[in-house]
Amino acid sequence: MTEPTAKPRAGANSQQGSAVSAKKQSDMNLSNVKHGRKDKTGATPDKAMLLALFTLPDIEEVGVKETVVKVAADELSNTYSAVQQSAASEINIAEQRVALYRTQHERTRLLYMASAATRPTYLVQTLKSQFAEHQQYLLAQQLDKRGLMDTDGLERLWQQLHVVDDIIADIVRHMPAQQPAGWQLTTQDGRNPLCFATVGKLKNSKPIRDQGSLNSYVLGHFGVSSFTYDRGYYIGHVVGYLFSCYFCAHLSISYGVTALGSQVIADYDYASLETPYMVRLLQGLDGYCKKRIYQLAVICARLSVFASDKRIERMLIAEVNDFDKKLQQQHLDVLLLQGLMPDSSDSTPLF
């Protein structure tokens, strides 16, 4: 199986900061798991331990044993907490981004190193309550008093969310091996419609936690990502690039993609590819793989926060237009022509 995420360089031990120091120790623990080493108890990863790596602590507390994998999960969580802290300088933000990338990479690597029997079944369905997309859907559902939303269709899609894991597994089986490539994606108004995990200050006050969105989960299988200021950064397989393009295009979101410069993300190994090379990578994908990526992107787009926000906007417009304005104008003209205005006993409708 192709490993879907980037491999850090050995020279990354020079990274500074408390968040990165914690992550270094985590790397050592996770490396022991990867190579089949056991602690004194002889424990190996189980489903609960792997699930703990993907579950946000304030959503669900997963009880696991005190093993090397439990320590790894705790330290990954501590690393992410440090990543979420506001930074005063660009250097700190860069360190946080790299720490987040290593967290994302190691978590996904553990998942793919696990056996089929150990890997959690339909993990995405288990995690859906922590996704921003699902929370926004529930909000829209509560606000939809006029039946403007396709509630049945969307609810059915959320109930069948396990198909996302099926499609991801199919894509991973078909995507060719390649060195991780980096690019940056800029969208309209500097927003974060793909719900990348956010690092540092934002123009919009809607931060997204790592694994706090469906797209963060999906793209985690193909690479690592973050959103800083007004653009998203992605390092990974070209299928992640293609997914992002399909996602934005389906929602009619204006976007631009450029190669990620070789020095933009320090101490993380990736290829900075210009457009002709990206074309070559896309040509290396067969038609079947592209179709599956498109299907995955459309599902995520339909369930996206962006789509839910548009539905809520339609509800707002419906509330503004909840009566016949043309008829009310006719009534008003009649009253004005007569030089009369209705008093409290007048039953003539006005507004």
Side-chain angles (χ1 to χ4, degrees), residues 152-210:
D152 292 341
L154 291 172
E155 182 63 29
R156 191 180 308 111
L157 194 53
W158 279 113
Q159 291 174 354
Q160 297 175 343
L161 194 62
H162 58 270
V163 73
V164 167
D165 277 342
D166 290 333
I167 296 176
I168 289 174
D170 200 17
I171 292 172
V172 170
R173 282 194 296 267
H174 286 85
M175 66 187 194
Q178 66 163 74
Q179 180 184 359
W183 61 88
Q184 58 185 16
L185 185 144
T186 307
T187 56
Q188 59 192 30
D189 302 325
R191 295 184 181 274
N192 184 17
L194 279 94
C195 289
F196 287 136
T198 49
V199 178
K201 298 178 181 179
L202 299 175
K203 288 184 177 180
N204 301 282
S205 57
K206 288 186 179 180
I208 299 293
R209 299 182 64 181
D210 184 26

Side-chain angles (χ1 to χ4, degrees), residues 56-127:
L56 297 181
D58 56 346
I59 299 298
E60 179 181 352
E61 292 295 334
V62 181
V64 293
K65 299 176 183 179
E66 294 297 328
T67 62
V68 63
V69 179
K70 174 62 170 63
V71 173
D74 290 341
E75 292 185 349
L76 285 175
S77 178
N78 292 337
T79 299
Y80 182 68
S81 296
V83 168
Q84 283 298 92
Q85 295 175 357
S86 180
S89 69
E90 287 292 339
I91 295 177
N92 288 337
I93 292 175
E95 290 177 353
Q96 291 173 27
R97 183 186 294 120
V98 174
L100 173 62
Y101 283 1
R102 297 197 191 286
T103 299
Q104 293 173 334
H105 173 267
E106 293 297 343
R107 178 181 53 234
T108 307
R109 187 184 69 174
L110 264 183
L111 181 67
Y112 277 86
M113 290 298 297
S115 65
T118 303
R119 190 178 303 169
T121 304
Y122 292 132
L123 177 59
V124 67
Q125 191 67 266
T126 305
L127 300 177

Side-chain angles (χ1 to χ4, degrees), residues 28-73:
M28 295 172 60
N29 294 333
L30 292 169
S31 179
N32 291 340
V33 176
K34 179 180 179 182
H35 292 92
R37 300 171 187 166
K38 301 179 181 180
D39 66 352
K40 295 179 182 178
T41 64
T44 55
D46 60 19
K47 290 185 178 182
M49 297 171 185
L50 289 173
L51 179 60
L53 298 178
F54 289 83
T55 305
L56 297 181
D58 56 346
I59 299 298
E60 179 181 352
E61 292 295 334
V62 181
V64 293
K65 299 176 183 179
E66 294 297 328
T67 62
V68 63
V69 179
K70 174 62 170 63
V71 173

